[in-house]
Amino acid sequence: METCEGEKYMILTKMEILKEISRKRIEISPFSKSSIGPASVDLTLDNKLRIFNIDKRVHSIHNKVDYKKITKLININKGYVLKPGELVLGITKEKITLPDDICGWLNSRSRFARHGLMSHITAPFICPGVSNKQVLEIYNASPRKLKIMPGLKICQIIFQRCEGKAKYKGTFKNQKL
């Protein structure tokens, strides 16, 4: 992507990610250098999930809707079997801190997508200036049950330079599962 002025706001490759980490502009905690790919960083699933309550009533979607009221927090130290068509909310073990001129994008990993596991189905954008763990919308699109375990490198984050600067101050700035 090129702007009219010729400046480029591109996706960061491994060497650029490492430079930004060494400058402490991007912080990932806990961090393992082995998690860095050619242009992304793998993130791991923590040991808690939110599962949706079974309820046949209509759930209204509005600006003040609270997902915690329709879900239950569970521990998955021994794993969790995701049924076909099931959606759960997970969270990354890693806390991601970004400067005000770098944003991120969460994506599924292709090795799991080929089995029908969608590790992040919607809202993949991570705003510049964020400093928190990332909540994942995990969905089983396969006809089989899939077992997920804490510590699984379930998704990846892709970093992109922004034109201008911004800092996220919204509802989920200190997000927890």
Side-chain angles (χ1 to χ4, degrees):
M1 178 179 186
E2 216 169 302
T3 66
C4 296
E5 297 82 34
E7 294 181 28
K8 295 181 181 177
Y9 300 95
M10 301 296 253
I11 291 172
L12 277 59
T13 60
K14 182 175 187 170
M15 292 310 297
E16 290 301 310
I17 294 168
L18 286 168
K19 282 182 199 174
E20 296 293 352
I21 289 171
S22 72
R23 293 177 186 148
K24 297 194 186 302
R25 286 177 32 80
I26 293 177
E27 295 177 35
I28 302 171
S29 177
F31 174 68
S32 171
K33 195 173 179 180
S34 66
S35 293
I36 301 179
S40 65
V41 177
D42 291 338
L43 301 176
T44 55
L45 182 62
D46 209 343
N47 66 347
K48 296 201 182 327
L49 289 179
R50 279 199 172 272
I51 58 172
F52 285 84
N53 302 328
I54 304 301
D55 188 348
K56 297 193 187 253
R57 292 179 292 165
V58 173
H59 181 70
S60 295
I61 300 297
H62 52 83
N63 286 333
K64 297 197 187 241
V65 68
D66 183 0
Y67 66 95
K68 291 179 180 177
K69 291 182 178 178
I70 60 166
T71 60
K72 175 173 73 169
L73 188 63
I74 64 167
N75 189 304
I76 62 159
N77 284 333
K78 294 182 180 177
Y80 183 80
V81 176
L82 197 60
K83 296 178 249 359
E86 185 177 8
L87 172 70
V88 297
L89 302 178
I91 194 161
T92 61
K93 185 179 280 190
E94 295 85 0
K95 178 181 178 182
I96 307 293
T97 302
L98 299 178
D100 58 6
D101 61 347
I102 294 177
C103 64
W105 299 92
L106 288 174
N107 284 296
S108 295
R109 296 185 64 211
S110 62
R111 73 180 58 219
F112 302 134
R114 293 166 197 216
H115 293 272
L117 181 65
M118 300 169 74
S119 59
H120 197 65
I121 63 168
T122 186
F125 184 67
I126 302 171
C127 292
V130 78
S131 184
N132 57 25
K133 293 182 172 192
Q134 299 305 306
V135 172
L136 306 172
E137 300 106 15
I138 303 167
Y139 183 76
N140 181 356
S142 84
R144 294 188 165 89
K145 294 178 182 178
L146 301 173
K147 187 172 184 178
I148 54 176
M149 299 290 295
L152 176 68
K153 290 184 179 189
I154 193 164
C155 67
Q156 60 187 332
I157 184 170
I158 297 167
F159 299 108
Q160 184 176 14
R161 293 198 194 281
C162 302
E163 181 173 357
K165 295 181 178 189
K167 183 164 180 142
Y168 180 73
K169 297 176 183 172
T171 303
F172 300 112
K173 72 177 183 174
N174 296 314
Q175 85 182 345
K176 294 179 176 69
L177 190 58

